Every structure is written in structure tokens, then in C-alpha cells.
Amino acid sequence: MERSGNHCEMRIKRFAYWFTGLAIVVIIWKLCLIESSVDNLQSIRKILDFHKDQLELTQQQLVFLENLAKKKSAGGLPTIYAVTPTYWRHVQKAELTRISQTLRLVPNVHWIVVEDSETKTDLVRNLIAESGLVVTHLHAKTPPFEQLKDKDPRWKRHRGVEQRNAALKWLRSNLQVNKNNGIVYFMDDDNTYNVKVFEEMAKVKKVGVWPVGLVGGLNAETPILDEKSGKVKGYKSGWKADRPFAIDMAGFAINLDLILKSEASFSYKMEKGYQESEFLSYFIKKEELEPLADNCTKVYVWHTRTEKPVVNGVVPGLEV
Ligand code: UDP
Ligand code: MN
């Protein structure tokens, strides 16, 4: 009796060993499967990321073709290369929505959006895809030592230097002198633009200038014209009006060929508030500036600034 009891116990034990062994094998096999599907998913993700850029390009080529047709009907206007540096903060999407929708009203614009980031972000990518505009999407990160800190006053650092230079580099490597009839305009993401400013800049031969509202400590900053010659003889500005060119970034546009023929760029070494003045000095003398906007009597662009909102929480799943 005892013998057969032992025998039975051994059989159960053996069965238990077999069963455990089998279960372990099955578990390991399943884990391997899961691991390989995670690997697969990761490589699919990499491929998708890669195709995102290609998709963006293809989509842009389509928009470009569509716009080519529109441009013909726009009567051979020069292409306006509008350069917009932009960086992430809670108001970024709102700012870019506002200016991209203004640009929808401009038939001859090629928008160059340069993100201040390590890589292009989906937020900007999607906004561009929805905009229906001809866009070149770039990124160039401001080096950490030049980055504006949260508590720094804005004037403490140069802003948009890296990004505008990246756009200049793109223009110089992708366009040719005397081939592309174009105008370059530095269009910050937070200003307010009347579409008329784009109509004005289509008249630019070398460098066109006009007043800018809400800047330089006055209701508007403007070139002062000589009554007799109609040429620029000075500037009205509440801040260093004696700068060689006391003009805000939004107050001038330059012929593309001049940009392509030069190596002019922006620099962190420039004195604060002198980016525009030093940049323009590469190209032109004050007397050669072309006053636009009804001899500088109209304001078609405002240097508005968006208040930083108080954001104490983030609603999940809502991109704002
Ligand atoms: N900008 C940027 N990175 C920054 C700060 C600003 O790319 O760290 C961009 C910003 O989006 C804008 C331009 O640079 O298009 C000028 O910046 P901002 O409007 O703050 O300067 P301000 O109007 O005071 O000269
Ligand atoms: Mn601004």
C-alpha cells in the first residue's frame, strides 16, 4: 500500500516538474514574442518618423504646384520669402495660427518657418500641413548660453539670430541670383500684419522701408523723409534714433538677389538692439532706402507682444 502511495506521489511530482518546465518554456517563448514585436514596433516607428519628413516634403510639393498656378494669375509678382523664427511656449500655436491665416491672403508668399528646437515638432509640422501655404520648415536651436531665461527681460538677449541665419543659409543654398524674382522679409511670429504690407514689399527694388506701430517707445517708429527729395533723412524712434538704420525687423524688406550676393548675417556679437541696423549696413546707404506705405504715412505692421498666460494645469489630450 505504502509503495503504491509513494509511486503515485512520484508520478504527481514528475507531472508537476514537467508542467512547470513546460510553463516556463511557454512563458519564455511568449516573452520572446513580445520582445520581438516591441522591436518591430520600434523599427516601424523609426520608419514612420523618417517618412514623416518625406510626407511633409511631398505634401509641400503639391501645395507648391497648386500655388504655381495661382501665382501665374497673381500677375508675376515677386515671391516674398517670409522668415519666421518660432519657439515653444503656450501661445505658440495661437501665434502661428494668426500669422499663417494672414499669409493665406497673400498670393505670392513662401513661408520659411524656423523652429528654435533640437528637432522639428509635430505641433508646427501639423500646423504647416493644414495651412495650405508653400512652406519650408527648418529648425535651428539657439545655443544654451544665448538662450533667454524665463525671468530675463527680453532685451537682455538677441532673439531669433540662429533661426534667421538658418533661413539665410537655406536661401543661399537653394536659390540662384537673377533666377528667382524674390523679396526677403523677417516676419516674427508675434507681430500683427496687415496684408497691405505684403503688397508694399512687392514694389521693393533694393530695400524698402515703412513705419512699424507700437515699437521703440513711441506709438510708431518711422523713417523721416526729406521733403524735397522724398528720400530717408533720419528716423523717428523713442530709442537710439541715431542708429544708422533705426528700423525694426518688421519695417524693411530686401531684394533676394542682394541677400544671395552677400554673406550678411545676424550675430550675437552685435550690440543689443543693433541687429537690424548692422544687417542693413551690409546692403545699402540710408539715402538709397525706398520709402513705402504712402511715403511712410501708413502703419501696416505692429510690433505687438502677446502676454504670457498663466497656465497652472494642462488638459490631457488637448493640443493648445
Ligand atoms: N524667438 C525664438 N527663440 C527665442 C525667443 C524668440 O525663436 O528664444 C523668436 C520669436 O518667436 C520671434 C522672434 O524670435 O519670432 C523675435 O522674438 P521676440 O518676439 O520675443 O522678440 P522682440 O519682439 O521682443 O524683439
Ligand atoms: Mn516680438
Side-chain angles (χ1 to χ4, degrees):
M1 280 291 275
E2 206 179 294
R3 236 176 153 194
S4 74
N6 272 348
H7 189 69
C8 187
E9 215 173 86
M10 266 176 64
R11 279 182 72 180
I12 291 173
K13 261 189 187 168
R14 206 179 295 154
F15 178 74
Y17 284 142
W18 271 105
F19 184 78
T20 317
L22 195 70
I24 289 172
V25 170
V26 170
I27 287 169
I28 291 174
W29 176 62
K30 275 281 175 201
L31 281 176
C32 286
L33 274 186
I34 290 171
E35 199 183 334
S36 78
S37 47
V38 167
D39 278 353
N40 274 349
L41 281 177
Q42 267 166 355
S43 51
I44 289 173
R45 198 199 156 134
K46 267 192 200 147
I47 294 168
L48 280 177
D49 270 345
F50 173 74
H51 284 297
K52 248 192 212 169
D53 274 343
Q54 286 205 327
L55 215 75
E56 194 183 15
L57 258 179
T58 318
Q59 195 250 354
Q60 272 306 307
Q61 280 161 350
L62 281 175
V63 178
F64 189 77
L65 286 176
E66 260 174 42
N67 276 263
L68 214 65
K70 271 193 225 155
K71 208 166 136 192
K72 275 203 181 123
S73 63
L77 286 169
T79 303
I80 292 161
Y81 294 92
V83 174
T84 302
T86 184
Y87 67 111
W88 195 89
R89 70 268 196 215
H90 285 291
V91 298
Q92 184 182 28
K93 194 173 176 187
E95 306 280 34
L96 292 176
T97 300
R98 193 158 52 113
I99 64 165
S100 65
Q101 299 200 351
T102 301
L103 290 179
R104 298 257 340 209
L105 301 169
V106 183
N108 50 323
V109 74
H110 179 138
W111 195 21
I112 303 182
V113 181
V114 194
E115 287 195 70
D116 185 350
S117 57
E118 299 280 1
T119 53
K120 297 185 204 173
T121 64
D122 280 344
L123 186 147
V124 176
R125 208 193 296 270
N126 295 340
L127 192 134
I128 287 172
E130 279 177 25
S131 74
L133 296 166
V134 174
V135 186
T136 293
H137 184 187
L138 308 171
H139 68 97
K141 176 116 187 90
T142 301
F145 54 92
E146 298 293 353
Q147 187 65 58
L148 194 72
K149 305 281 175 309
D150 244 10
K151 281 177 194 130
D152 283 349
R154 287 153 87 110
W155 52 263
K156 221 172 157 184
R157 297 254 180 247
H158 293 297
R159 297 165 298 277
V161 168
E162 212 69 28
Q163 297 72 36
R164 294 188 191 107
N165 285 345
L168 291 171
K169 191 171 164 203
W170 184 88
L171 290 169
R172 291 179 181 133
S173 7
N174 289 280
L175 303 174
Q176 287 167 21
V177 180
N178 294 332
K179 253 198 155 172
N180 307 82
N181 181 16
I183 307 291
V184 178
Y185 184 48
F186 296 104
M187 185 188 188
D188 288 357
D189 64 0
D190 55 344
N191 294 338
T192 305
Y193 303 85
N194 185 327
V195 287
K196 286 183 181 164
V197 79
F198 299 95
E199 290 164 20
E200 289 302 303
M201 63 184 86
K203 303 173 191 167
V204 169
K205 293 191 179 65
K206 283 184 166 178
V207 178
V209 291
W210 47 80
V212 177
L214 313 176
V215 73
L218 298 176
N219 65 341
E221 210 176 55
T222 180
I224 305 169
L225 307 192
D226 182 78
E227 270 182 31
K228 269 196 185 151
S229 64
K231 290 185 176 162
V232 177
K233 64 170 186 186
Y235 309 94
K236 251 208 163 47
S237 172
W239 189 78
K240 293 197 180 170
D242 60 344
R243 281 172 287 165
F245 297 90
I247 302 176
D248 183 78
M249 209 59 86
F252 67 89
I254 306 187
N255 184 298
L256 174 69
D257 281 342
L258 287 189
I259 297 267
L260 297 182
K261 283 184 205 159
S262 81
E263 286 177 6
S265 63
F266 298 95
S267 156
Y268 295 107
K269 294 200 185 102
M270 294 173 181
E271 203 180 314
K272 301 280 169 333
Y274 275 73
Q275 291 287 345
E276 296 90 336
S277 192
E278 297 227 4
F279 188 73
L280 284 171
S281 312
Y282 281 104
F283 302 101
I284 209 155
K285 292 191 184 65
K286 186 170 71 190
E287 300 70 32
E288 295 176 89
L289 293 171
E290 298 149 40
L292 294 169
D294 244 337
N295 286 319
C296 296
T297 59
K298 298 271 163 47
V299 173
Y300 293 146
V301 55
W302 296 262
H303 186 259
T304 42
R305 283 173 167 180
T306 306
E307 190 187 356
K308 193 174 171 192
V310 179
V311 176
N312 294 323
V314 171
V315 181
L318 259 192
E319 186 192 79
V320 178

